[in-house]
Tab-separated table of all heavy atoms in Angstrom:
chain	number	residue	atom	x	y	z
A	67	PHE	N	186.352	55.202	-16.432
A	67	PHE	CA	186.436	53.784	-16.774
A	67	PHE	C	185.830	53.544	-18.159
A	67	PHE	O	185.074	54.224	-18.614
A	67	PHE	CB	185.818	52.763	-15.756
A	67	PHE	CG	184.399	53.072	-15.484
A	67	PHE	CD1	183.388	52.404	-16.068
A	67	PHE	CD2	184.157	53.863	-14.492
A	67	PHE	CE1	182.194	52.485	-15.746
A	67	PHE	CE2	182.795	54.155	-14.086
A	67	PHE	CZ	181.769	53.400	-14.798
A	68	ARG	N	186.358	52.397	-18.776
A	68	ARG	CA	186.060	51.954	-20.156
A	68	ARG	C	186.355	53.128	-21.215
A	68	ARG	O	185.546	53.298	-22.179
A	68	ARG	CB	184.623	51.687	-20.280
A	68	ARG	CG	184.226	50.323	-19.467
A	68	ARG	CD	182.755	49.986	-19.597
A	68	ARG	NE	182.461	48.726	-18.954
A	68	ARG	CZ	181.111	48.310	-18.798
A	68	ARG	NH1	180.224	49.003	-19.311
A	68	ARG	NH2	180.938	47.143	-18.388
A	69	TYR	N	187.498	53.797	-21.027
A	69	TYR	CA	187.903	54.874	-21.897
A	69	TYR	C	188.499	54.226	-23.145
A	69	TYR	O	189.346	53.524	-23.157
A	69	TYR	CB	188.932	55.740	-21.242
A	69	TYR	CG	189.535	56.760	-22.065
A	69	TYR	CD1	188.761	57.772	-22.645
A	69	TYR	CD2	190.920	56.746	-22.400
A	69	TYR	CE1	189.238	58.802	-23.472
A	69	TYR	CE2	191.385	57.735	-23.320
A	69	TYR	CZ	190.638	58.737	-23.744
A	69	TYR	OH	191.150	59.649	-24.611
A	70	ASP	N	187.804	54.497	-24.286
A	70	ASP	CA	188.292	53.911	-25.579
A	70	ASP	C	188.847	55.062	-26.403
A	70	ASP	O	189.091	54.644	-27.616
A	70	ASP	CB	186.943	53.359	-26.396
A	70	ASP	CG	186.079	54.330	-26.878
A	70	ASP	OD1	186.208	55.635	-26.514
A	70	ASP	OD2	185.055	54.000	-27.536
A	71	GLY	N	189.246	56.096	-25.944
A	71	GLY	CA	189.943	57.142	-26.780
A	71	GLY	C	189.089	58.264	-27.006
A	71	GLY	O	189.563	59.446	-27.402
A	72	THR	N	187.687	58.122	-27.100
A	72	THR	CA	186.917	59.207	-27.365
A	72	THR	C	185.687	59.291	-26.352
A	72	THR	O	185.013	60.350	-26.196
A	72	THR	CB	186.222	58.994	-28.821
A	72	THR	OG1	185.550	57.718	-28.716
A	72	THR	CG2	187.292	59.091	-29.798
A	73	GLN	N	185.394	58.196	-25.684
A	73	GLN	CA	184.390	58.230	-24.760
A	73	GLN	C	184.715	57.476	-23.450
A	73	GLN	O	185.562	56.542	-23.449
A	73	GLN	CB	183.006	57.758	-25.393
A	73	GLN	CG	183.207	56.390	-25.926
A	73	GLN	CD	181.884	55.894	-26.715
A	73	GLN	OE1	180.884	56.555	-26.702
A	73	GLN	NE2	181.950	54.783	-27.431
A	74	PHE	N	184.021	57.760	-22.318
A	74	PHE	CA	184.154	57.020	-21.058
A	74	PHE	C	183.014	57.259	-20.163
A	74	PHE	O	182.222	58.170	-20.240
A	74	PHE	CB	185.532	57.277	-20.464
A	74	PHE	CG	185.564	58.959	-20.094
A	74	PHE	CD1	185.116	59.481	-18.860
A	74	PHE	CD2	186.164	59.821	-20.941
A	74	PHE	CE1	185.116	60.772	-18.571
A	74	PHE	CE2	186.264	61.217	-20.677
A	74	PHE	CZ	185.795	61.549	-19.433
A	75	GLU	N	183.003	56.455	-19.190
A	75	GLU	CA	181.941	56.515	-18.003
A	75	GLU	C	182.795	57.014	-16.848
A	75	GLU	O	184.009	56.790	-16.751
A	75	GLU	CB	181.330	55.241	-17.687
A	75	GLU	CG	180.873	54.379	-18.800
A	75	GLU	CD	179.332	54.533	-19.158
A	75	GLU	OE1	178.647	55.253	-18.628
A	75	GLU	OE2	178.995	53.835	-20.153
A	76	SER	N	182.143	57.649	-15.830
A	76	SER	CA	182.927	58.130	-14.636
A	76	SER	C	182.004	58.293	-13.520
A	76	SER	O	180.843	58.632	-13.534
A	76	SER	CB	183.642	59.376	-15.016
A	76	SER	OG	182.897	60.550	-15.178
A	77	PHE	N	182.764	58.369	-12.390
A	77	PHE	CA	181.991	58.784	-11.102
A	77	PHE	C	183.084	59.754	-10.554
A	77	PHE	O	184.316	59.533	-10.691
A	77	PHE	CB	181.987	57.703	-10.015
A	77	PHE	CG	180.899	56.631	-10.248
A	77	PHE	CD1	181.110	55.321	-10.656
A	77	PHE	CD2	179.591	57.040	-9.930
A	77	PHE	CE1	180.029	54.451	-10.879
A	77	PHE	CE2	178.535	56.138	-10.153
A	77	PHE	CZ	178.715	54.846	-10.571
A	78	TYR	N	182.511	60.980	-10.081
A	78	TYR	CA	183.377	61.897	-9.557
A	78	TYR	C	182.777	62.558	-8.396
A	78	TYR	O	181.646	62.452	-8.038
A	78	TYR	CB	183.955	62.909	-10.601
A	78	TYR	CG	183.006	63.808	-11.149
A	78	TYR	CD1	182.622	65.018	-10.615
A	78	TYR	CD2	182.347	63.499	-12.449
A	78	TYR	CE1	181.737	65.877	-11.226
A	78	TYR	CE2	181.461	64.365	-12.985
A	78	TYR	CZ	181.106	65.492	-12.468
A	78	TYR	OH	180.155	66.356	-12.987
A	79	LEU	N	183.686	63.209	-7.493
A	79	LEU	CA	183.359	63.893	-6.278
A	79	LEU	C	183.376	65.432	-6.405
A	79	LEU	O	184.408	65.876	-7.095
A	79	LEU	CB	184.259	63.326	-5.178
A	79	LEU	CG	184.455	61.876	-4.867
A	79	LEU	CD1	185.313	61.494	-3.869
A	79	LEU	CD2	183.052	61.229	-4.813
A	80	ARG	N	182.742	66.043	-5.645
A	80	ARG	CA	182.698	67.458	-5.572
A	80	ARG	C	182.887	67.709	-3.972
A	80	ARG	O	181.974	68.003	-3.342
A	80	ARG	CB	181.411	68.066	-5.980
A	80	ARG	CG	181.150	68.024	-7.498
A	80	ARG	CD	179.763	68.864	-7.777
A	80	ARG	NE	179.493	68.643	-9.227
A	80	ARG	CZ	178.560	67.698	-9.586
A	80	ARG	NH1	177.881	66.977	-8.755
A	80	ARG	NH2	178.258	67.617	-10.836
A	81	PRO	N	184.046	67.583	-3.538
A	81	PRO	CA	184.356	67.717	-2.069
A	81	PRO	C	183.774	68.862	-1.337
A	81	PRO	O	183.378	68.772	-0.146
A	81	PRO	CB	185.797	67.578	-1.908
A	81	PRO	CG	186.256	66.823	-3.149
A	81	PRO	CD	185.317	67.303	-4.123
A	82	THR	N	183.811	70.065	-1.976
A	82	THR	CA	183.253	71.208	-1.258
A	82	THR	C	181.799	71.114	-1.040
A	82	THR	O	181.281	71.866	-0.280
A	82	THR	CB	183.683	72.562	-2.022
A	82	THR	OG1	183.155	72.644	-3.382
A	82	THR	CG2	185.192	72.746	-2.143
A	83	ASN	N	180.977	70.388	-1.963
A	83	ASN	CA	179.690	70.322	-1.787
A	83	ASN	C	179.360	69.420	-0.586
A	83	ASN	O	178.339	69.531	0.022
A	83	ASN	CB	179.034	69.605	-3.111
A	83	ASN	CG	178.855	70.578	-4.152
A	83	ASN	OD1	179.462	71.725	-4.025
A	83	ASN	ND2	178.393	70.089	-5.181
A	84	GLY	N	180.226	68.511	-0.183
A	84	GLY	CA	179.966	67.609	0.963
A	84	GLY	C	180.023	68.417	2.243
A	84	GLY	O	179.333	67.862	3.241
A	85	VAL	N	180.442	69.564	2.378
A	85	VAL	CA	180.458	70.369	3.546
A	85	VAL	C	179.744	71.718	3.356
A	85	VAL	O	179.674	72.563	4.242
A	85	VAL	CB	181.828	70.699	4.011
A	85	VAL	CG1	182.474	69.372	4.532
A	85	VAL	CG2	182.718	71.331	3.023
A	86	ALA	N	179.002	71.840	2.311
A	86	ALA	CA	178.330	73.049	1.930
A	86	ALA	C	177.102	73.264	2.890
A	86	ALA	O	176.623	72.310	3.433
A	86	ALA	CB	177.623	73.038	0.561
A	87	ASP	N	176.756	74.661	3.244
A	87	ASP	CA	175.627	74.942	4.124
A	87	ASP	C	174.366	74.884	3.480
A	87	ASP	O	173.256	74.945	4.013
A	87	ASP	CB	175.846	76.353	4.700
A	87	ASP	CG	176.990	76.451	5.825
A	87	ASP	OD1	177.255	75.423	6.311
A	87	ASP	OD2	177.514	77.553	5.951
A	88	ASP	N	174.395	74.675	2.202
A	88	ASP	CA	173.102	74.565	1.263
A	88	ASP	C	172.797	73.001	0.992
A	88	ASP	O	173.716	72.396	0.392
A	88	ASP	CB	173.462	75.396	0.097
A	88	ASP	CG	172.360	75.142	-1.038
A	88	ASP	OD1	171.373	74.593	-0.811
A	88	ASP	OD2	172.514	75.693	-2.228
A	89	GLN	N	171.648	72.617	1.407
A	89	GLN	CA	171.300	71.165	1.291
A	89	GLN	C	171.330	70.782	-0.242
A	89	GLN	O	171.719	69.673	-0.514
A	89	GLN	CB	170.075	70.746	2.006
A	89	GLN	CG	169.795	69.295	1.996
A	89	GLN	CD	170.905	68.450	2.493
A	89	GLN	OE1	171.281	68.843	3.837
A	89	GLN	NE2	171.291	67.404	1.955
A	90	VAL	N	170.859	71.654	-1.068
A	90	VAL	CA	170.774	71.327	-2.434
A	90	VAL	C	172.079	71.012	-3.044
A	90	VAL	O	172.425	70.070	-3.749
A	90	VAL	CB	169.968	72.197	-3.347
A	90	VAL	CG1	170.005	72.205	-4.840
A	90	VAL	CG2	168.573	72.363	-2.882
A	91	ARG	N	173.030	71.923	-2.723
A	91	ARG	CA	174.402	71.588	-3.119
A	91	ARG	C	175.112	70.455	-2.556
A	91	ARG	O	175.768	69.787	-3.209
A	91	ARG	CB	175.309	72.937	-2.679
A	91	ARG	CG	176.575	72.994	-3.311
A	91	ARG	CD	177.409	74.314	-3.167
A	91	ARG	NE	178.746	73.987	-3.022
A	91	ARG	CZ	179.593	74.863	-2.680
A	91	ARG	NH1	179.304	76.042	-2.118
A	91	ARG	NH2	180.925	74.511	-2.623
A	92	ARG	N	174.813	70.135	-1.300
A	92	ARG	CA	175.219	68.838	-0.649
A	92	ARG	C	174.753	67.698	-1.353
A	92	ARG	O	175.485	66.798	-1.560
A	92	ARG	CB	174.867	68.798	0.729
A	92	ARG	CG	175.581	69.456	1.759
A	92	ARG	CD	174.961	69.266	3.197
A	92	ARG	NE	175.764	70.088	4.154
A	92	ARG	CZ	176.669	69.466	5.037
A	92	ARG	NH1	176.576	68.123	5.146
A	92	ARG	NH2	177.374	70.181	5.774
A	93	ASN	N	173.511	67.707	-2.027
A	93	ASN	CA	173.006	66.701	-2.694
A	93	ASN	C	173.710	66.467	-3.987
A	93	ASN	O	173.459	65.372	-4.698
A	93	ASN	CB	171.546	66.890	-3.005
A	93	ASN	CG	170.594	66.775	-1.726
A	93	ASN	OD1	170.996	66.321	-0.654
A	93	ASN	ND2	169.413	67.428	-1.754
A	94	HIS	N	174.538	67.321	-4.376
A	94	HIS	CA	175.312	67.069	-5.533
A	94	HIS	C	176.850	66.938	-5.320
A	94	HIS	O	177.737	67.337	-6.013
A	94	HIS	CB	175.214	68.454	-6.431
A	94	HIS	CG	173.819	68.815	-6.884
A	94	HIS	ND1	173.174	68.045	-7.677
A	94	HIS	CD2	173.115	69.898	-6.561
A	94	HIS	CE1	171.865	68.520	-7.770
A	94	HIS	NE2	171.873	69.706	-7.195
A	95	ALA	N	177.034	66.097	-4.198
A	95	ALA	CA	178.530	65.836	-3.900
A	95	ALA	C	179.125	64.796	-4.675
A	95	ALA	O	180.291	64.732	-4.889
A	95	ALA	CB	178.565	65.578	-2.489
A	96	VAL	N	178.247	63.746	-5.264
A	96	VAL	CA	178.718	62.683	-5.890
A	96	VAL	C	178.048	62.702	-7.233
A	96	VAL	O	176.914	62.903	-7.487
A	96	VAL	CB	178.526	61.307	-5.230
A	96	VAL	CG1	178.971	60.165	-6.013
A	96	VAL	CG2	179.272	61.416	-3.930
A	97	GLN	N	178.787	62.426	-8.456
A	97	GLN	CA	178.226	62.529	-9.771
A	97	GLN	C	178.614	61.279	-10.578
A	97	GLN	O	179.764	60.888	-10.612
A	97	GLN	CB	178.612	63.738	-10.364
A	97	GLN	CG	178.122	63.945	-11.834
A	97	GLN	CD	176.714	64.430	-11.891
A	97	GLN	OE1	176.354	65.315	-11.145
A	97	GLN	NE2	175.773	63.736	-12.632
A	98	TYR	N	177.580	60.745	-11.490
A	98	TYR	CA	178.009	59.831	-12.565
A	98	TYR	C	177.871	60.627	-13.786
A	98	TYR	O	177.022	61.519	-13.861
A	98	TYR	CB	177.034	58.706	-12.608
A	98	TYR	CG	176.978	58.044	-13.802
A	98	TYR	CD1	178.001	57.130	-14.343
A	98	TYR	CD2	175.903	58.321	-14.770
A	98	TYR	CE1	177.913	56.530	-15.579
A	98	TYR	CE2	175.997	57.774	-16.156
A	98	TYR	CZ	176.940	56.766	-16.430
A	98	TYR	OH	176.831	56.274	-17.667
A	99	ALA	N	178.730	60.418	-14.755
A	99	ALA	CA	178.508	61.028	-16.048
A	99	ALA	C	179.196	60.197	-17.064
A	99	ALA	O	179.921	59.163	-16.721
A	99	ALA	CB	179.246	62.361	-16.044
A	100	ALA	N	178.718	60.358	-18.308
A	100	ALA	CA	179.361	59.589	-19.452
A	100	ALA	C	179.677	60.587	-20.547
A	100	ALA	O	178.857	61.189	-21.105
A	100	ALA	CB	178.305	58.521	-19.997
A	101	PHE	N	181.037	60.644	-20.876
A	101	PHE	CA	181.501	61.622	-21.827
A	101	PHE	C	181.526	61.025	-23.175
A	101	PHE	O	181.898	59.825	-23.337
A	101	PHE	CB	182.915	62.028	-21.353
A	101	PHE	CG	183.560	62.918	-22.320
A	101	PHE	CD1	183.463	64.462	-21.973
A	101	PHE	CD2	184.368	62.692	-23.320
A	101	PHE	CE1	183.994	65.251	-22.774
A	101	PHE	CE2	184.907	63.607	-24.118
A	101	PHE	CZ	184.770	64.917	-23.822
A	102	PRO	N	181.077	61.719	-24.186
A	102	PRO	CA	180.837	63.085	-24.332
A	102	PRO	C	179.337	63.422	-24.171
A	102	PRO	O	179.098	64.692	-23.971
A	102	PRO	CB	181.424	63.361	-25.651
A	102	PRO	CG	181.126	62.241	-26.469
A	102	PRO	CD	181.318	61.089	-25.572
A	103	ASP	N	178.470	62.734	-24.377
A	103	ASP	CA	177.185	63.077	-24.505
A	103	ASP	C	176.199	63.195	-23.202
A	103	ASP	O	175.169	63.776	-23.264
A	103	ASP	CB	176.409	62.158	-25.562
A	103	ASP	CG	176.947	62.223	-27.010
A	103	ASP	OD1	177.307	63.496	-27.364
A	103	ASP	OD2	176.999	61.284	-27.637
A	104	TRP	N	176.619	62.592	-22.211
A	104	TRP	CA	175.820	62.460	-20.884
A	104	TRP	C	176.595	63.185	-19.852
A	104	TRP	O	177.014	62.404	-18.999
A	104	TRP	CB	175.680	60.963	-20.613
A	104	TRP	CG	174.823	60.351	-21.784
A	104	TRP	CD1	175.231	59.657	-22.823
A	104	TRP	CD2	173.261	60.388	-21.752
A	104	TRP	NE1	174.067	59.229	-23.541
A	104	TRP	CE2	173.010	59.659	-22.944
A	104	TRP	CE3	172.319	60.910	-20.974
A	104	TRP	CZ2	171.620	59.565	-23.358
A	104	TRP	CZ3	171.004	60.750	-21.392
A	104	TRP	CH2	170.673	60.043	-22.534
A	105	ARG	N	176.798	64.346	-20.038
A	105	ARG	CA	177.532	65.145	-18.967
A	105	ARG	C	176.564	65.616	-17.904
A	105	ARG	O	175.340	65.343	-18.037
A	105	ARG	CB	178.131	66.505	-19.555
A	105	ARG	CG	179.147	66.012	-20.693
A	105	ARG	CD	179.642	67.180	-21.263
A	105	ARG	NE	180.220	66.848	-22.704
A	105	ARG	CZ	181.305	67.498	-23.238
A	105	ARG	NH1	181.799	68.504	-22.612
A	105	ARG	NH2	181.715	66.970	-24.404
A	106	PHE	N	177.068	66.030	-16.747
A	106	PHE	CA	176.318	66.411	-15.590
A	106	PHE	C	175.102	67.224	-15.851
A	106	PHE	O	174.095	66.970	-15.337
A	106	PHE	CB	177.085	66.840	-14.310
A	106	PHE	CG	177.169	68.346	-14.350
A	106	PHE	CD1	176.224	69.160	-13.608
A	106	PHE	CD2	178.189	69.115	-15.139
A	106	PHE	CE1	176.358	70.553	-13.761
A	106	PHE	CE2	178.268	70.388	-15.161
A	106	PHE	CZ	177.328	71.192	-14.430
A	107	ASP	N	175.346	68.172	-16.620
A	107	ASP	CA	174.264	69.224	-16.849
A	107	ASP	C	173.001	68.467	-17.528
A	107	ASP	O	171.757	68.740	-17.301
A	107	ASP	CB	174.605	70.295	-17.641
A	107	ASP	CG	175.397	70.026	-18.913
A	107	ASP	OD1	175.844	68.912	-19.102
A	107	ASP	OD2	175.325	70.975	-19.813
A	108	ARG	N	173.173	67.687	-18.497
A	108	ARG	CA	172.306	66.940	-19.258
A	108	ARG	C	171.542	65.876	-18.300
A	108	ARG	O	170.313	65.856	-18.235
A	108	ARG	CB	172.764	66.272	-20.468
A	108	ARG	CG	171.573	65.470	-21.214
A	108	ARG	CD	172.196	64.820	-22.360
A	108	ARG	NE	171.130	63.983	-23.059
A	108	ARG	CZ	171.300	63.187	-24.126
A	108	ARG	NH1	172.404	63.109	-24.591
A	108	ARG	NH2	170.238	62.498	-24.555
A	109	LEU	N	172.283	65.193	-17.502
A	109	LEU	CA	171.699	64.213	-16.705
A	109	LEU	C	170.833	64.913	-15.701
A	109	LEU	O	169.778	64.402	-15.249
A	109	LEU	CB	172.858	63.345	-16.137
A	109	LEU	CG	173.579	62.341	-17.018
A	109	LEU	CD1	174.776	61.776	-16.276
A	109	LEU	CD2	172.584	61.332	-17.513
A	110	ARG	N	171.340	66.025	-15.096
A	110	ARG	CA	170.638	66.608	-14.070
A	110	ARG	C	169.370	67.280	-14.653
A	110	ARG	O	168.357	67.382	-13.881
A	110	ARG	CB	171.446	67.853	-13.373
A	110	ARG	CG	170.941	68.634	-12.259
A	110	ARG	CD	171.641	69.681	-11.742
A	110	ARG	NE	172.911	69.005	-11.098
A	110	ARG	CZ	174.033	69.800	-10.723
A	110	ARG	NH1	174.143	71.052	-10.760
A	110	ARG	NH2	175.108	69.168	-10.122
A	111	ARG	N	169.355	67.683	-15.805
A	111	ARG	CA	168.104	68.333	-16.366
A	111	ARG	C	167.215	67.260	-16.793
A	111	ARG	O	165.896	67.424	-16.505
A	111	ARG	CB	168.643	69.131	-17.667
A	111	ARG	CG	167.533	69.859	-18.400
A	111	ARG	CD	168.057	70.772	-19.585
A	111	ARG	NE	168.680	69.739	-20.725
A	111	ARG	CZ	169.979	69.731	-20.982
A	111	ARG	NH1	170.833	70.488	-20.098
A	111	ARG	NH2	170.512	69.081	-21.727
A	112	GLU	N	167.594	66.186	-17.468
A	112	GLU	CA	166.673	65.145	-17.937
A	112	GLU	C	166.342	64.091	-16.903
A	112	GLU	O	165.205	63.589	-16.977
A	112	GLU	CB	167.338	64.333	-19.107
A	112	GLU	CG	167.508	65.319	-20.278
A	112	GLU	CD	168.032	64.657	-21.529
A	112	GLU	OE1	168.230	63.328	-21.526
A	112	GLU	OE2	168.463	65.301	-22.444
A	113	SER	N	167.195	63.909	-15.908
A	113	SER	CA	166.813	62.919	-14.834
A	113	SER	C	167.206	63.378	-13.549
A	113	SER	O	168.201	62.892	-12.847
A	113	SER	CB	167.554	61.597	-15.069
A	113	SER	OG	167.166	60.951	-16.343
A	114	PRO	N	166.618	64.545	-12.901
A	114	PRO	CA	166.924	65.120	-11.648
A	114	PRO	C	167.151	64.083	-10.601
A	114	PRO	O	166.353	63.182	-10.414
A	114	PRO	CB	165.958	66.106	-11.293
A	114	PRO	CG	165.125	66.287	-12.630
A	114	PRO	CD	165.340	65.078	-13.450
A	115	GLU	N	168.329	64.094	-9.816
A	115	GLU	CA	168.588	63.381	-8.620
A	115	GLU	C	168.937	61.851	-8.924
A	115	GLU	O	169.344	61.142	-8.009
A	115	GLU	CB	167.436	63.508	-7.597
A	115	GLU	CG	167.156	64.875	-7.279
A	115	GLU	CD	165.919	64.936	-6.340
A	115	GLU	OE1	165.421	63.880	-5.898
A	115	GLU	OE2	165.476	66.124	-6.085
Side-chain angles (χ1 to χ4, degrees):
F67 53 96
R68 294 180 172 173
Y69 175 61
D70 72 354
T72 60
Q73 58 186 350
F74 59 88
E75 317 263 3
S76 68
F77 283 107
Y78 65 87
L79 310 178
R80 297 181 184 101
T82 63
N83 285 6
V85 294
D87 288 334
D88 173 4
Q89 186 60 48
V90 173
R91 190 170 150 196
R92 278 182 180 247
N93 293 343
H94 301 297
V96 175
Q97 179 75 51
Y98 160 79
F101 184 88
D103 296 324
W104 298 91
R105 301 173 197 214
F106 90 90
D107 54 335
R108 178 179 179 184
L109 293 170
R110 188 178 290 170
R111 184 178 60 252
E112 293 180 9
S113 303
E115 302 175 10

